[in-house]
Amino acid sequence: MTVKFIDLFAGIGGFRLGLEQSGFKCVFSSEIDKACKDTYFANYGEMPKGDIGEINPKEIENFDILSAGFPCQPFSISGKQLGFEDTRGTLFFDILRIIKIKQPKVVLLENVKHLVHHDKGNTLKVILENLRQLNYEVNWKILNASDFGVPQNRERIIIVASKDKKFEFDKIKTVKRPVLKDFLDTEADFEFLDDTEYSLLVNPTVQKSGLIFAGYRNKAIRKAGVRPNTEHLSRVHKQPNRIYSAEGVHPTLPSQETSGRFFILVDGKVRKLTINECYRITGFPEDFNKISSLGELYKQIGNSVCVPMVAELGKEIKNQFFSSNRNAVVREMQIREEKRENDTYGSITVNL
Ligand SMILES: C[S@@+](CC[C@H](N)C(=O)[O-])C[C@H]1O[C@@H](n2cnc3c(N)ncnc32)[C@H](O)[C@@H]1O
């Protein structure tokens, strides 16, 4: 029994790597960005289709799992009746359009943690409600990459929708949080900061997340209106100026970044993470082909999903939805296949 998935908003294939590690087979991908598409091709030998808005779901091979780490957009009709109409014109609408026609057994969505509060909670509410209206049982949870074997504090909302029953997030296995220093290169063309360019804290603070705030960069600071002897605080409060210790975890690699923003304290020196280290702490394999410019590579990894987290989700999706009674699962897959062929689902009105 081959469980098939599609990789929407594919980026550089974080979902693909993770779900393939769970034993699933990718049958379709879509990504609009040229540099991401080229990277995807260089690593999986498949050029993703482009703009999701131009994809006709009927041209996609049938599949069991839809995965998508889609960009977060507000829905236009805030507070009004929730439904398909509300999402029109958004990228989530395109996901729904594909779900309606293809009726996958499982939908796996990922987004930034902030989605929970986006548009005062309305965005998440619309997403969940629309999935429920398509007869899915929906559940969601905030997961952190640092619970899946990589030293990066990267929290993401994961939404799992299934035709069967609610996904039980409690069954997901987490591991002890690793430390950054065990993931670092020992030799590379490191970009160090000169001693005069930073200040270290006498008592570094260990945060609940595992981040160890160790110092800050001595960048130009705002002096106007600042109380005497508190000038350094305005540096400290600027997240990019903070220096974290390699004895803890690394902060979230940001998505809009083209130069690698964060500096770390390692063995008494302060340096930037190398691009290889960025990919490693997101769970990408050492032999991943990084063919884009350095600026694009930083952006791509900052946008990517944590691979071992997806692999663990895939393992649990398999346990909970695809392995209880093999014969029943195979029969159910056949029924869905027949229904799709007879276009039973086509009675739902969808504008293509
Ligand atoms: C948050 S990233 C997802 C990254 C991916 N999960 C990974 O692991 O690399 C969202 C992606 O959606 C892509 N995207 C945005 N609009 C799109 C559209 N209309 N059609 C297809 N892809 C789109 C962006 O280029 C970006 O790579």
Side-chain angles (χ1 to χ4, degrees), residues 109-113 116 124 128 138-144 147-148 155-160 167-172 174 309 313:
L109 305 177
E110 180 245 14
N111 215 298
V112 291
K113 181 187 172 191
V116 176
L124 179 59
L128 302 178
V138 194
N139 213 354
W140 63 271
K141 192 171 180 183
I142 305 290
L143 299 181
N144 195 330
D147 289 322
F148 297 91
E155 289 187 291
R156 289 291 184 263
I157 181 173
I158 299 293
I159 302 170
V160 182
F167 181 69
E168 293 175 63
F169 276 98
D170 294 350
K171 294 195 171 155
I172 292 268
T174 55
M309 183 180 83
L313 277 162

Side-chain angles (χ1 to χ4, degrees), residues 9-15 30-33 36 50-53 69 71 91 110 300 303-305:
F9 305 97
I12 55 169
F15 270 110
S30 153
E31 168 56 53
I32 203 166
D33 179 82
C36 285
D51 188 352
I52 192 169
L91 294 167
E110 180 245 14
Q300 289 169 6
N303 257 318
S304 180
V305 66

Side-chain angles (χ1 to χ4, degrees), residues 263-277:
F263 282 79
I264 52 166
L265 172 66
V266 51
D267 295 334
K269 291 183 179 168
V270 173
R271 70 164 175 86
K272 201 187 260 188
L273 271 198
T274 66
I275 192 68
N276 285 338
E277 289 166 338

Side-chain angles (χ1 to χ4, degrees), residues 110-274:
E110 180 245 14
N111 215 298
V112 291
K113 181 187 172 191
H114 171 68
L115 180 76
V116 176
H117 306 292
H118 196 251
D119 190 15
K120 300 195 185 91
N122 186 55
T123 306
L124 179 59
K125 199 168 156 193
V126 172
I127 290 171
L128 302 178
E129 194 54 38
N130 271 281
L131 290 168
R132 287 184 186 121
Q133 283 177 7
L134 294 182
N135 296 321
Y136 283 87
E137 293 285 343
V138 194
N139 213 354
W140 63 271
K141 192 171 180 183
I142 305 290
L143 299 181
N144 195 330
S146 65
D147 289 322
F148 297 91
V150 291
Q152 187 183 164
N153 181 46
R154 190 177 185 84
E155 289 187 291
R156 289 291 184 263
I157 181 173
I158 299 293
I159 302 170
V160 182
S162 159
K163 288 280 183 192
D164 275 5
K165 54 182 177 179
K166 271 195 178 164
F167 181 69
E168 293 175 63
F169 276 98
D170 294 350
K171 294 195 171 155
I172 292 268
K173 286 188 193 60
T174 55
V175 295
K176 189 169 170 281
R177 197 159 54 200
V179 290
L180 181 58
K181 70 171 184 213
D182 294 336
F183 285 69
L184 299 180
D185 287 329
T186 46
E187 276 176 35
D189 193 10
F190 295 129
E191 191 182 328
F192 287 105
L193 278 187
D194 191 79
D195 291 358
T196 56
E197 294 178 278
Y198 61 88
S199 308
L200 295 180
L201 301 184
V202 183
N203 294 313
T205 43
V206 183
Q207 300 172 3
K208 220 175 120 205
S209 57
L211 288 165
I212 303 176
F213 175 32
Y216 52 89
R217 293 171 71 190
N218 299 337
K219 283 188 150 181
I221 53 170
R222 188 172 57 90
K223 293 210 169 113
V226 175
R227 271 188 292 132
N229 301 322
T230 64
E231 291 89 347
H232 70 286
L233 290 178
S234 70
R235 287 185 190 126
V236 171
H237 285 144
K238 279 201 159 194
Q239 179 74 279
N241 283 348
R242 294 187 186 189
I243 294 165
Y244 290 95
S245 164
E247 302 294 326
V249 295
H250 194 276
T252 309
L253 293 170
S255 59
Q256 298 305 323
E257 190 59 44
T258 52
S259 64
R261 180 161 28 153
F262 292 101
F263 282 79
I264 52 166
L265 172 66
V266 51
D267 295 334
K269 291 183 179 168
V270 173
R271 70 164 175 86
K272 201 187 260 188
L273 271 198
T274 66

Side-chain angles (χ1 to χ4, degrees), residues 3-66:
V3 176
K4 298 175 186 172
F5 70 94
I6 64 167
D7 192 10
L8 301 180
F9 305 97
I12 55 169
F15 270 110
R16 181 167 184 145
L17 278 173
L19 293 178
E20 282 182 349
Q21 283 171 22
S22 315
F24 302 148
K25 182 174 182 252
C26 185
V27 294
F28 179 84
S29 54
S30 153
E31 168 56 53
I32 203 166
D33 179 82
K34 165 97 175 62
C36 285
K37 287 172 85 162
D38 289 344
T39 299
Y40 201 94
F41 183 75
N43 284 282
Y44 315 103
E46 177 190 312
M47 188 57 89
K49 292 274 185 290
D51 188 352
I52 192 169
E54 291 172 9
I55 287 165
N56 179 349
K58 292 190 173 165
E59 284 167 10
I60 305 176
E61 179 179 336
N62 289 339
F63 57 90
D64 309 289
I65 304 170
L66 177 149

